[in-house]
Amino acid sequence: MAVSKHVRLSDVAAHAGVSIKTVSNVVNGFQHVRPSMRQHVQQAIDELGYRPDASGRTLRTGRTGLVGLAVPDLGNPYFADLAQRLVAEARKYDMRLLIEQTGGDRDEEVAILSGRGARMVDGLIFSPLSVHDEDLRNRKDQIPLVLLGEHEGGDIADRVDIDSVGVAFDAVTHLIEGGRRRIAMLGWVGTNTTHVSRNRRDGYLRALEAAGIARDPELIRVVHPWGRLTGKTAAEQLIASGVEFDAIFCGNDAIALGALTALREKNFNVPGDVAVIGIDNIEESEFCVPSLSTMAIDRQAMAERSFKLLHRRLESPDGETATLATPYALIRRGSSNTAEG
Amino acid sequence: MAVSKHVRLSDVAAHAGVSIKTVSNVVNGFQHVRPSMRQHVQQAIDELGYRPDASGRTLRTGRTGLVGLAVPDLGNPYFADLAQRLVAEARKYDMRLLIEQTGGDRDEEVAILSGRGARMVDGLIFSPLSVHDEDLRNRKDQIPLVLLGEHEGGDIADRVDIDSVGVAFDAVTHLIEGGRRRIAMLGWVGTNTTHVSRNRRDGYLRALEAAGIARDPELIRVVHPWGRLTGKTAAEQLIASGVEFDAIFCGNDAIALGALTALREKNFNVPGDVAVIGIDNIEESEFCVPSLSTMAIDRQAMAERSFKLLHRRLESPDGETATLATPYALIRRGSSNTAEG
DNA sequence: TTGTACGCGTTATCAG
DNA sequence: CTGATAACGCGTACAA
């Protein structure tokens, strides 16, 4: 230890020959300080290299300037991109982001909801995967919460909503409009698990129904967890099962990229024999061969709206909760371009 | 406001009919507390829903339990993967990660080095891009610093080192051993900028020299910033320039993926006509067509060693600085497999 | 416009 | 083994 003690507000005050209050006024950019005094104090601050202490300030004001971001996995390009935009957005509000990874595990998600240990963040932006509505309602922590993703229950918290049913509906409808009738879905995970899987399956089924196409349970394949390798395996099993199919709708782009690999290895022509579409529009989808048609979900809008909601909630903690919808759009690329087939 | 005041240590103490110190002892798992007393206090804690306050604790102990991570860009899969591992590693030390994005901008990097605003982290893990040695030496902030990446100056701080010269040397030597002689490099950014570019160029040149191959300035192409699109453009310009080449060594995988796209569009056969190798081993490199040969840099080891160094420094702030080397290895894949050509 | 004094919630010292 | 009390650094009534 020993070497360098911290420079305190009182040290600056002593050095400048003024009171603590005056230094504090200068540091916090208070209005009514004489310019000459301001300059004098600023010089003392610079000379001593004073920098305000976060904990003292937090203890006094109750604000940390930190926002928690809880996502399943930063290694997932979708969440990495989202995190990047949220970090950038946070700076506009003079805040910083504390990252938590849940692994999509329910216990982990619940632990984070209850604030894991310490009141350290002013708010939490949370992209849940396995957590239940009751967990959300039962949470002990009272800090502002913004939920990202599937809209499930009622007005538990502010939300930035992704209409997965609509997204899936549009994706599958695009395949149908391309003349496909035997459309497989890769990405079912079972009834008891994530909303996102269920919603995307619902959208898939509704699109089939709207087009008067009968559903075939053989075409709905489990993928768990959602990833490139699991997607590839599921596609291989689909092929091996001998079921007839002319298109694959995938729960996300990672699954779709895995499916593309499987199809290529089995010498299927995409999109000639089989059309493929994913969801997320991760960067790679634009560059793979063939390029992957997908549903773009506006992550920049998600980031901006998350902080808009959070900021509003910090200003007035007791207002009504709000839900903001996230724009999405079909991206037509090679994997579903029947003109090329 | 109004609704829920925080539950303090003293509230628990009053509720349990004991002193603050005793409650604190229980909370912090102190040794010498009677089991019956411990249970009694724990019950009071649960009933009141008490949870310790981070700022008060920090103010007293001087520890925040937060570690800053400063990287150029989380959207880059390399840094996203690194961040993911660091977040996971942090939890083993009961710490959390605060993410900062520098954009590789020097001013931004310097600002983060001086602690931007508040003493809020116990240490900083920093992957610099543009910052100079003098900036590192001049930094005001005294918190423990772990530098990630190119080893440049002396013992400014603890380091987790990447031997970029050696990495590039191995990559280019692999191409040479495959019979290539006209090897282009995509990823030069000019003399005044990042160390990583300079070091990888040095490795490239040394490998050529070791094999007795003359260097050709025409083959060294600028790419800035390092990305997929810029890589593709640089490859297109290389092709358009009419220079003869039979291999491309790329500064990183993103550039290489862009180059692969350009080569495919111009109907080059990879690896038949042109072999390609990158650096980083991002996930996509394994799945693209043809799969991309690359140099794997052990990011898991980097994450573990970063925290090892940080922890050591927190324990003994005045010890000698250490530099730990990061393992790396050649990953042979389709893009350089001459047997397939 | 500037100075004084207090409290935010925690941990550490030291006496009992 | 437990209790009283003093810091930690800051912001802010309130007084001047």
Side-chain angles (χ1 to χ4, degrees), chain A residues 51 53 55 58-59 84 91 96-97 99-101 108 119-120 141 228 264 284 287 289, chain B residues 51 53 55 58-59 84 91 96-97 99-101 108 119-120 141 228 264 284 287 289:
Chain A
R51 300 192 313 94
D53 177 281
S55 9
T58 294
L59 192 52
Q84 174 213 359
R91 290 209 43 194
R96 330 255 278 273
L97 231 52
I99 307 258
E100 313 258 22
Q101 277 177 159
E108 198 64 29
R119 286 189 300 271
M120 186 132 58
D141 212 325
R228 185 155 209 159
R264 185 174 49 243
E284 185 174 350
F287 295 95
V289 189
Chain B
R51 301 194 308 94
D53 178 281
S55 1
T58 295
L59 188 54
Q84 176 215 358
R91 290 209 43 194
R96 329 254 277 275
L97 231 52
I99 308 255
E100 313 258 22
Q101 278 177 159
E108 198 63 30
R119 289 190 297 271
M120 186 132 58
D141 212 326
R228 186 157 209 157
R264 184 172 53 243
E284 184 174 350
F287 294 95
V289 188

Side-chain angles (χ1 to χ4, degrees), chain A residues 1 3-4 6-7 51-56 58-59 64-66 73-75 77 80-81 83-85 87-88 91 96-101 108 114-120 140-142 228-229 232 261 264 283-284 286-289 317-318, chain B residues 1 3-4 6-7 51-56 58-59 64-66 73-75 77 80-81 83-85 87-88 91 96-101 108 114-120 140-142 228-229 232 261 264 283-284 286-289 317-318:
Chain A
M1 293 279 130
V3 179
S4 72
H6 286 172
V7 179
R51 300 192 313 94
D53 177 281
S55 9
T58 294
L59 192 52
T64 62
L66 262 33
D73 170 23
L74 264 191
D81 181 85
Q84 174 213 359
R85 294 170 195 275
V87 169
R91 290 209 43 194
R96 330 255 278 273
L97 231 52
L98 203 64
I99 307 258
E100 313 258 22
Q101 277 177 159
E108 198 64 29
S114 41
R116 205 205 315 278
R119 286 189 300 271
M120 186 132 58
K140 293 297 175 206
D141 212 325
Q142 288 305 320
R228 185 155 209 159
L229 250 31
K232 183 181 177 211
T261 303
R264 185 174 49 243
E283 191 194 18
E284 185 174 350
E286 185 180 349
F287 295 95
C288 61
V289 189
D318 298 323
Chain B
M1 293 278 129
V3 177
S4 73
H6 286 170
V7 178
R51 301 194 308 94
D53 178 281
S55 1
T58 295
L59 188 54
T64 62
L66 263 32
D73 170 24
L74 265 190
D81 181 84
Q84 176 215 358
R85 294 171 196 276
V87 169
R91 290 209 43 194
R96 329 254 277 275
L97 231 52
L98 203 65
I99 308 255
E100 313 258 22
Q101 278 177 159
E108 198 63 30
S114 42
R116 203 201 324 273
R119 289 190 297 271
M120 186 132 58
K140 293 297 176 205
D141 212 326
Q142 290 304 320
R228 186 157 209 157
L229 251 30
K232 184 183 176 210
T261 303
R264 184 172 53 243
E283 192 194 16
E284 184 174 350
E286 186 181 348
F287 294 95
C288 61
V289 188
D318 298 321

Side-chain angles (χ1 to χ4, degrees), chain B residues 14-74:
Chain B
H15 189 78
V18 299
S19 86
I20 294 180
K21 169 65 175 168
T22 303
V23 182
S24 175
N25 283 344
V26 172
V27 170
N28 295 25
F30 234 68
Q31 300 288 335
H32 308 289
V33 182
R34 273 202 316 261
S36 65
M37 175 61 90
R38 183 179 298 280
Q39 193 177 359
H40 176 62
V41 171
Q42 186 60 51
Q43 187 181 345
I45 290 176
D46 294 340
E47 283 178 17
L48 270 53
Y50 166 79
R51 301 194 308 94
D53 178 281
S55 1
R57 182 174 282 178
T58 295
L59 188 54
R60 182 60 218 188
T61 62
R63 291 273 179 107
T64 62
L66 263 32
V67 175
L69 170 65
V71 296
D73 170 24
L74 265 190

Side-chain angles (χ1 to χ4, degrees), chain B residues 192-233:
Chain B
N192 283 331
T193 41
T194 68
H195 300 323
V196 58
S197 169
R198 185 146 41 79
N199 286 339
R200 288 182 183 177
R201 175 168 161 275
D202 284 353
Y204 161 81
L205 293 176
R206 285 192 203 175
L208 292 185
E209 193 176 359
I213 299 174
R215 68 168 73 177
D216 178 351
E218 281 287 307
L219 287 173
I220 301 182
R221 319 295 294 201
V222 169
V223 181
H224 185 68
W226 283 9
R228 186 157 209 157
L229 251 30
T230 52
K232 184 183 176 210
T233 305

